[in-house]
């Protein structure tokens, strides 16, 4: 193959998840305090019943964010949000963050002030302590890595691997809106680049833009589930798109699932973006493959149905099927489509 | 000033430590489990007597490493080493690491295999579990961020702030050798760039080269101190150079110090590099300002003198002086020179 010349395999040939599997295969866990290692949204540490959860998340300029349309305050907020979302994805509550920034001299002290104002805002909002980190030079652009630390009782922690046959598949909020916001920003950027006097038209897209630029970790959903004595059997956050996340749960729980297209929660602004962009762009595609929604996807026992059905902001979208079956989308016409991972940043 | 036009302050104008102080000033600690926040080598977390230490360390291509002469296996090893050194710098033992890598498609899968072989080697050597992390794209080059997690009894932890009047100032290993190794590599690189047929001459510099390319965290010193029932009153690792680290301890402990030039441990290869490079290059300058030695600089009570004086690999280089005095170097001629931070990557 063209991308495997002279013993060189391109990163794109393997894909993100296969690459991580290859590189981290067979790393031993030697310490009792390493309760759960690689393979979920967080590592789980500690020997007592209350566990410490640790996760690390990187955002690189030009890959995860574009300075053309990303206010630095939003960027700081989002960097924290995205890391906290990984803590929420284990049904845990965040406590501390450390922030490491590599930054080129293109950025000024005042620019970093703005970035940290956003970091501070998100820490305040989610009751999280900034306890460390560092700032170093980079040759070009900015790379932000946030380490988030959380806490949960061992019995509360939800892994990707715990889904069982007939469990209900649930998702919070709505899907596809963050990607729709990105589409609008990219469209306006292209027009702006062609005509610097052009004034971007973002009216009527405030919701999807905020979903992309300033997402919120769903700590409130973790709290809501606790208040209602519901412990999800499995959980993950929607960072790469619903399809990709469903496949993670199915793979790690050794099961399949059926989710119903008409049950997928899609905001009207997402539908509007799709209809403006192209006749061929379907809102359901954004919901399945858009990514960056940072909603929580989780499964619960059928016996918890009565408890969950009245909770606002949580949608039951399907159920878990037996081992050996696939992750399937059921259309309104009752045909089924096998889900494939097409996360728009699969290679990040 | 030329670098403060139109409300823009250049990062270089402020310097690394002042920048960190400015950005992280006044972040509140809300949780009991945030035992010690920003301002030392690690954050200290937990409510029990056994504390969890967390630190994060970034290495960026073109700033902290140069792919021209850095084997990827060494780079992976060093990325872990440097993070573990921060744990050692608190007199604690490392347990887990998470590794986040942002990498451009210039690197192949096989290159990352090499990097991870080095990561694995260092984890094996220091009995550390790789429990998480992520891999993402970067627009250019490689940025590696390692989060290291350690453990120590509250009474064992050594902060930068604990030095007292008359305490003895100690340092492990030798100083200036890593920077000397870097000087050799840079010299050979320049010659190689002028003549691609040139074969680098690295003979006789194996020790200083290894010190730069593959440093070791001094976990052995932490263990040696424990075996001899010595708890340092303060501690830091030598990443930016002895002078810079002494100033950190003096500032945070509200004291001064005197260190004796003739007591500074300097390897003969370091002296040889200096004499080859320039008649004006003094080995003591490399020791004071070279950085990246990852030795431990610490203070002990005078009452521990009898215990420490026989320990191999630890050098008593001076003593702590009263509040209001400065960090001073005492020359063999008994004159004193006030130390200033001139870390060779002060702005990283």
């Amino acid at each position: 193959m063209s991308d495997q010349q002279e013993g060189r395999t391109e990163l794109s040939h393997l894909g993100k998840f296969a690459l991580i599997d290859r590189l981290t295969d067979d790393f031993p866990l030697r310490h009792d305090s390493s309760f759960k290692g690689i393979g979920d949204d967080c590592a789980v540490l500690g020997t007592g019943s209350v566990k410490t959860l640790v996760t690390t998340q990187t955002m690189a300029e030009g890959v995860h964010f574009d300075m053309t349309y990303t206010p630095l305050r939003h960027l700081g907020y989002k960097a924290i949000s995205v890391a906290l979302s990984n803590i929420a994805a284990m049904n845990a509550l965040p406590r501390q963050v450390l922030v490491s920034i590599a930054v080129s001299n293109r950025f000024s002290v005042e620019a970093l002030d703005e970035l940290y104002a956003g970091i501070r805002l998100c820490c305040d909002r989610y009751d999280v302590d900034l306890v460390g980190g560092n700032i170093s030079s980079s040759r070009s652009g900015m790379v932000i890595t946030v380490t988030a630390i959380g806490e949960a009782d061992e019995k509360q922690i939800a892994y990707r691997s715990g889904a069982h046959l007939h469990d209900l598949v649930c998702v919070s909020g709505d899907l596809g809106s963050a990607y729709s916001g990105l589409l609008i920003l990219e469209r306006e950027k292209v027009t702006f680049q062609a005509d610097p006097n052009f004034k971007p038209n973002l009216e009527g897209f405030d919701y999807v833009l905020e979903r992309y630029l300033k997402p919120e970790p769903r700590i409130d959903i973790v709290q809501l589930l606790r208040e209602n004595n519901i412990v999800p059997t499995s959980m993950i956050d929607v960072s790469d798109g619903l399809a990709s996340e469903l496949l993670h749960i199915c793979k790690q729980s050794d099961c399949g699932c059926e989710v119903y297209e008409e049950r997928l929660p899609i905001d009207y602004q997402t539908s509007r973006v799709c209809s403006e962009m192209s006749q061929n762009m379907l809102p359901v595609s954004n919901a399945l493959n858009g990514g960056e929604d940072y909603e929580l996807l989780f499964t619960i026992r059928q016996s918890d149905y009565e408890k969950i059905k009245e909770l606002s902001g949580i949608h039951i979208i399907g159920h878990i099927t037996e081992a050996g079956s696939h992750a399937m989308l059921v259309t309104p016409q009752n045909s089924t489509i096998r889900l494939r991972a097409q996360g728009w940043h699969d290679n990040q």
Side-chain angles (χ1 to χ4, degrees), chain A residues 11 14-21 57 239-240 345-348:
Chain A
L11 294 179
L14 216 51
K16 177 183 173 182
F17 300 119
L19 180 64
I20 291 175
D21 285 348
Q57 188 80 33
S239 52
D240 293 328
H345 56 190
D346 189 26
N347 266 322
Q348 296 172 19

Side-chain angles (χ1 to χ4, degrees), chain A residues 136-154:
Chain A
S136 60
S137 302
S138 89
R139 205 171 42 175
S140 74
M142 190 190 284
V143 177
I144 310 174
T145 301
V146 176
T147 298
I149 296 157
E151 195 180 284
D153 191 283
E154 187 180 334

Side-chain angles (χ1 to χ4, degrees), chain A residues 22 27 42 73 77 88 112 162 177 179 182 193 276:
Chain A
R22 172 177 170 141
F27 265 88
C42 296
R73 195 177 285 238
Y77 192 96
L112 293 188
S177 47
Y179 182 63
L182 175 61
Q193 284 173 333
E276 279 201 14

Side-chain angles (χ1 to χ4, degrees), chain A residues 27-42:
Chain A
F27 265 88
L29 295 185
R30 303 169 179 92
H31 296 286
D32 291 344
S33 57
S34 302
F35 190 73
K36 163 80 184 167
I38 291 162
D40 218 304
D41 291 283
C42 296

Side-chain angles (χ1 to χ4, degrees), chain A residues 75-146:
Chain A
L75 180 62
Y77 192 96
K78 183 171 179 174
I80 302 295
S81 266
V82 169
L84 300 187
S85 182
N86 279 336
I87 301 284
M90 306 288 286
N91 199 36
L93 295 174
R95 295 285 185 252
Q96 287 95 11
V97 289
L98 296 88
V99 177
S100 289
I101 297 177
V103 64
S104 79
N105 57 15
R106 208 182 84 227
F107 292 89
S108 67
V109 171
E110 288 75 16
L112 293 188
D113 284 342
E114 278 296 295
L115 185 81
Y116 269 77
I119 288 171
R120 188 182 298 258
L121 199 63
C122 196
C123 286
D124 285 346
R125 174 146 186 187
Y126 293 102
D127 200 23
V128 163
D129 296 343
L130 176 72
V131 294
N134 63 64
I135 298 171
S136 60
S137 302
S138 89
R139 205 171 42 175
S140 74
M142 190 190 284
V143 177
I144 310 174
T145 301
V146 176

Side-chain angles (χ1 to χ4, degrees), chain A residues 40-60:
Chain A
D40 218 304
D41 291 283
C42 296
V44 182
L45 307 179
T47 52
S49 62
V50 176
K51 300 296 183 194
T52 299
L53 295 97
V54 187
T55 179
T56 175
Q57 188 80 33
T58 293
M59 290 176 64

